[in-house]
Amino acid sequence: MGSLRAILKHPDDLYPLVKLKIAARHAEKQIPPEPHWGFCYTMLHKVSRSFALVIQQLDTDLRDAVCIFYLVLRALDTVEDDTSIATDVKVPILMAFHRHLYDREWHFSCGAKEYKVLMDEFHHVSTAFLELERSYQEAIEDITMRMGAGMAKFICKEVETTDDYDEYCHYVAGLVGLGLSKLFHASGKEDLPPDTLSNSMGLFLQKTNIIRDYLEDINEIPKSRMFWPRQIWSKYVNKLEDLKYEENSVKAVQCLNDMVTNALIHVEDSLKYMSALRDPAIFRFCAIPQIMAIGTLALCYNNIQVFRGVVKMRRGLTAKVIDRTKTMSDVYGDFYDFSRLLKSKVDDSDPNAKITKERLETILKICRNSGSLNKRKSYIIRSEPRYNSTMIVIIFIILAILLAYLSATRPRLVLWKSLCH
Ligand code: D61
Ligand code: MG
């Protein structure tokens, strides 16, 4: 019931949360009847925590292509991520994955839970892939080939320098950006942007993931996974895992702040990429994950919790972002708010304080120069809940209606549970 407290603390989260839940249910109801497409969309909802909803909002043929693109790469990543597969088995699978797309019989069992189902029944994904238009197939095949080769390269190589770090992130996420840009272009809805901009979109998301997932990756069984570049962490500790020990807290946070500062480099390109998009659905699909990323960085910066457990934006704030991101003004506004929040956390004693502030200032300036900041109301930076008597009455009525509704239809209790999850 921890989230009930969160809703009481942030009462205006309730409306977007309910709206999001309704949208998710609606999306689930729209799952196509053919068994292979049914499997793909069901799987998409199961394996992608954040991307399923935004993919679902795209128009039909592009949506199918992006859904298959996601599942193919998620399957490839499941092979990469399974630390129990021996290197000499793993490398050839990664290298040949793009060819398996054309073979309906092919499958390779690995991963766990829903990822294992995806791998065991991969024939549904290849069947759906074979029904896509050729231009979509070519883009997906090309990116799968390049990502598989890049992942194979890094199975045998550690992320030493920041250049290695950028190269690894290019393979696993920058290429997704390149592939998506090709798919958007093939749909006839968008121009083809420069590769460097598409790459930055992916790097910004992947670096945020790598920063946030420090503990999960280092504690991976049977073998820890290390993506933080030695060139950065060696300034603070002798071994990457030392960052998680309490006696190194000060160094750990400094290293974390260094990593966040490194990720901020990509914001400028990302904003440029998004500002060139024309289709509203594609725009939302691209913008929502980017806003979540800057929000996550603002939450992680100077936060020792990154080394102790999971640090995530609260569900209500995520729901608000999904609900309110419509135009580039919303993106500038959110980047502005989160950058200001981040800047307020920078302590002058931090070894990178100056460069961090410079990078944030650059972002703030771009947002200010967009000329769209004063048109909006910030919903991100607000320290205390603003209760008034009307609000309390409204919350009470909504809760009463919800409870009455839920107790009348027992199976729907699931809705309430998932809202409070
Ligand atoms: C616009 C909109 C979405 C974008 C984009 C531009 C540019 C790039 C990306 C999405 C990709 C961002 C990846 C960030 C999350 N990282 C991962 O999932 C890691 O795996 C990377 C390899 C598989 C990529 C699969 C993928 C992800 C998002 C997509 C997509 C394919 C296709 C279409 C749309 C979005 C990470 O996964 C494990 C984990 O996060 O738990 C890892 O293994 O490092
Ligand atoms: Mg991976």
Side-chain angles (χ1 to χ4, degrees):
M1 274 307 199
S3 309
L4 185 55
R5 202 177 306 140
I7 291 175
L8 288 172
K9 205 169 161 202
H10 304 274
D12 50 354
D13 282 5
L14 188 60
Y15 171 71
L17 269 171
V18 171
K19 213 170 148 184
L20 184 64
K21 209 67 220 174
I22 292 169
R25 285 192 146 204
H26 180 72
E28 276 170 37
K29 275 197 205 128
Q30 282 193 322
I31 287 174
E34 303 96 320
H36 52 296
W37 284 107
F39 175 86
C40 288
Y41 277 99
T42 308
M43 232 39 235
L44 177 69
H45 287 280
K46 289 202 175 136
V47 295
S48 120
R49 290 161 290 271
S50 44
F51 288 110
L53 257 168
V54 281
I55 293 176
Q56 201 71 41
Q57 296 175 9
L58 295 167
D59 289 338
T60 331
D61 71 319
L62 180 61
R63 185 209 297 155
D64 286 348
V66 173
C67 171
I68 299 307
F69 188 41
Y70 182 86
L71 292 176
V72 167
L73 298 182
R74 184 51 67 215
L76 182 70
D77 184 54
T78 304
V79 178
E80 191 217 16
D81 288 356
D82 190 331
T83 45
S84 69
I85 309 171
T87 305
D88 58 332
V89 178
K90 195 185 271 193
V91 168
I93 296 173
L94 294 173
M95 300 289 291
F97 208 91
H98 62 111
R99 279 187 257 122
H100 302 321
L101 299 177
Y102 295 90
D103 176 4
R104 267 178 243 239
E105 309 291 304
W106 182 87
H107 70 101
F108 175 77
S109 194
C110 66
K113 298 182 207 158
E114 56 272 24
Y115 299 92
K116 187 169 162 29
V117 181
L118 171 67
M119 298 312 292
D120 285 339
E121 304 204 31
F122 195 74
H123 63 98
H124 287 307
V125 181
S126 38
T127 303
F129 170 79
L130 290 167
E131 284 179 15
L132 296 176
E133 260 179 52
R134 189 66 195 130
S135 55
Y136 291 140
Q137 286 178 353
E138 278 168 357
I140 296 173
E141 180 188 351
D142 175 55
I143 298 301
T144 308
M145 178 186 73
R146 292 159 69 184
M147 190 183 289
M151 284 172 164
K153 180 173 174 183
F154 274 90
I155 295 289
C156 323
K157 180 178 147 66
E158 294 222 333
V159 181
E160 298 274 349
T161 64
T162 50
D163 283 346
D164 292 343
Y165 182 47
D166 283 12
E167 189 186 352
Y168 176 74
C169 292
H170 164 73
Y171 294 135
V172 302
L175 285 173
V176 180
L178 264 66
L180 285 169
S181 296
K182 266 197 197 167
L183 297 180
F184 302 157
H185 183 63
S187 76
K189 292 188 163 82
E190 298 289 350
D191 295 334
L192 199 58
D195 282 354
T196 49
L197 298 190
S198 307
N199 189 52
S200 296
M201 290 286 284
L203 260 61
F204 188 56
L205 300 182
Q206 183 64 15
K207 288 186 174 182
T208 303
N209 259 26
I210 287 177
I211 292 168
R212 190 199 58 196
D213 294 345
Y214 166 84
L215 195 63
E216 194 185 310
D217 290 335
I218 208 90
N219 289 341
E220 181 77 34
I221 298 168
K223 217 169 121 236
S224 58
R225 320 200 49 220
M226 301 189 220
F227 301 113
W228 289 34
R230 178 190 297 270
Q231 197 181 341
I232 292 184
W233 60 255
S234 62
K235 289 190 262 173
Y236 307 95
V237 278
N238 296 322
K239 285 195 293 267
L240 181 59
E241 74 231 50
D242 289 349
L243 293 174
K244 71 175 171 180
Y245 303 120
E246 220 166 304
E247 65 265 30
N248 298 326
S249 292
V250 173
K251 290 285 172 199
V253 164
Q254 290 177 349
C255 183
L256 168 66
N257 296 348
D258 203 337
M259 291 289 288
V260 172
T261 307
N262 170 286
L264 290 175
I265 278 272
H266 306 292
V267 170
E268 201 172 339
D269 277 359
S270 296
L271 291 172
K272 206 180 274 173
Y273 179 98
M274 289 183 277
S275 67
L277 294 170
R278 287 197 286 235
D279 181 86
I282 293 178
F283 174 78
R284 276 169 52 76
F285 167 77
C286 291
I288 291 166
Q290 298 289 318
I291 297 174
M292 303 294 295
I294 185 85
T296 303
L297 290 182
L299 199 62
C300 288
Y301 186 88
N302 226 5
N303 186 350
I304 191 67
Q305 275 314 110
V306 172
F307 303 97
R308 307 280 179 265
V310 188
V311 174
K312 266 194 173 163
M313 261 167 68
R314 62 170 210 278
R315 268 187 75 75
L317 190 50
T318 305
K320 264 188 199 164
V321 170
I322 295 176
D323 188 38
R324 302 187 194 186
T325 305
K326 304 239 153 61
T327 68
M328 201 56 209
S329 305
D330 302 324
V331 172
Y332 287 128
D334 287 357
F335 269 80
Y336 184 80
D337 288 347
F338 281 127
S339 300
R340 273 211 324 183
L341 180 63
L342 233 160
K343 205 170 148 211
S344 73
K345 290 187 177 187
V346 181
D347 188 325
D348 282 327
S349 64
D350 186 279
N352 294 290
K354 191 163 167 278
I355 174 101
T356 310
K357 281 190 186 161
E358 273 168 21
R359 291 200 180 153
L360 289 168
E361 209 40 67
T362 308
I363 301 169
L364 291 169
K365 203 164 128 199
I366 296 170
C367 298
R368 268 190 230 107
N369 289 349
S370 75
S372 51
L373 289 183
N374 44 10
K375 291 186 204 135
R376 62 188 290 280
K377 198 174 106 209
S378 163
Y379 59 89
I380 285 160
I381 302 176
R382 190 190 301 144
S383 46
E384 287 305 313
R386 293 181 314 175
Y387 281 110
N388 56 37
S389 49
T390 327
M391 183 80 95
I392 292 173
V393 171
I394 291 173
I395 294 171
F396 189 78
I397 292 171
I398 292 175
L399 284 177
I401 293 172
L402 261 176
L403 278 175
Y405 174 69
L406 293 170
S407 51
T409 50
R410 258 199 76 68
R412 289 175 193 257
L413 209 62
V414 180
L415 168 74
W416 180 243
K417 275 192 190 148
S418 53
L419 265 178
C420 292
H421 164 240

Coordinates of all heavy atoms in Angstrom, one line a residue, residues 74 76-78 80-81 151 168 172 206 225 227, ligand 2:
R74 N 15.0 -7.3 -28.4 CA 14.9 -7.8 -27.1 C 15.4 -9.2 -27.0 O 16.0 -9.6 -26.0 CB 13.4 -7.6 -26.6 CG 13.2 -8.0 -25.1 CD 14.1 -7.3 -24.1 NE 13.9 -5.9 -24.0 CZ 15.0 -5.1 -23.8 NH1 16.2 -5.5 -23.7 NH2 14.8 -3.8 -23.7
L76 N 17.6 -10.6 -29.1 CA 19.0 -10.6 -29.2 C 19.7 -10.2 -27.9 O 20.7 -10.8 -27.4 CB 19.4 -9.5 -30.3 CG 20.8 -9.3 -30.7 CD1 21.4 -10.5 -31.4 CD2 21.0 -8.0 -31.5
D77 N 19.1 -9.2 -27.2 CA 19.6 -8.7 -25.9 C 19.5 -9.8 -24.8 O 20.3 -9.9 -23.9 CB 18.8 -7.5 -25.5 CG 19.4 -6.8 -24.2 OD1 20.6 -6.6 -24.2 OD2 18.6 -6.6 -23.3
T78 N 18.4 -10.7 -25.0 CA 18.3 -11.7 -24.0 C 19.5 -12.7 -24.1 O 19.9 -13.2 -23.1 CB 16.9 -12.5 -24.2 OG1 15.9 -11.5 -24.2 CG2 16.7 -13.6 -23.2
E80 N 22.5 -11.8 -25.2 CA 23.6 -11.0 -24.7 C 23.6 -11.0 -23.2 O 24.6 -11.2 -22.5 CB 23.6 -9.6 -25.2 CG 24.9 -8.8 -24.9 CD 24.7 -7.4 -24.5 OE1 23.6 -6.9 -24.2 OE2 25.7 -6.7 -24.6
D81 N 22.4 -10.8 -22.6 CA 22.3 -10.6 -21.1 C 22.5 -11.9 -20.3 O 22.7 -11.9 -19.1 CB 21.0 -10.0 -20.7 CG 21.0 -8.5 -21.1 OD1 22.0 -8.0 -21.6 OD2 19.9 -7.9 -21.0
M151 N 27.7 -6.4 -30.1 CA 27.5 -7.1 -28.8 C 28.6 -8.2 -28.7 O 29.2 -8.3 -27.6 CB 26.1 -7.7 -28.7 CG 25.0 -6.8 -28.3 SD 23.4 -7.6 -28.5 CE 22.4 -6.5 -27.6
Y168 N 30.0 1.0 -27.2 CA 29.1 0.0 -26.7 C 27.6 0.5 -26.7 O 26.8 -0.2 -27.2 CB 29.5 -0.5 -25.3 CG 28.4 -1.5 -24.7 CD1 28.4 -2.8 -25.2 CD2 27.5 -1.1 -23.8 CE1 27.5 -3.7 -24.8 CE2 26.5 -2.0 -23.4 CZ 26.5 -3.3 -23.9 OH 25.5 -4.2 -23.5
V172 N 24.2 -1.0 -28.7 CA 23.0 -1.5 -28.1 C 21.8 -0.5 -28.1 O 20.7 -0.9 -27.9 CB 23.2 -2.1 -26.7 CG1 24.2 -3.2 -26.7 CG2 23.6 -1.0 -25.7
Q206 N 20.3 4.9 -23.0 CA 21.1 3.8 -22.6 C 22.0 4.2 -21.4 O 22.2 3.4 -20.4 CB 22.0 3.2 -23.7 CG 22.8 1.9 -23.4 CD 21.9 0.7 -23.0 OE1 20.7 0.7 -23.2 NE2 22.5 -0.2 -22.3
R225 N 28.1 -7.7 -14.4 CA 28.2 -7.1 -15.7 C 28.6 -5.7 -15.4 O 28.1 -5.0 -14.5 CB 26.9 -7.1 -16.4 CG 26.1 -8.4 -16.2 CD 25.1 -8.7 -17.2 NE 25.6 -8.5 -18.5 CZ 25.0 -7.9 -19.5 NH1 23.8 -7.5 -19.3 NH2 25.5 -7.8 -20.7
F227 N 29.4 -1.9 -17.0 CA 29.3 -1.0 -18.2 C 29.9 0.3 -17.9 O 30.0 1.2 -18.8 CB 27.8 -0.9 -18.6 CG 27.2 -2.2 -19.0 CD1 26.2 -2.8 -18.3 CD2 27.7 -2.9 -20.2 CE1 25.6 -4.0 -18.7 CE2 27.1 -4.1 -20.5 CZ 26.1 -4.7 -19.8
Ligands
MG2 MG 22.0 -6.2 -22.9

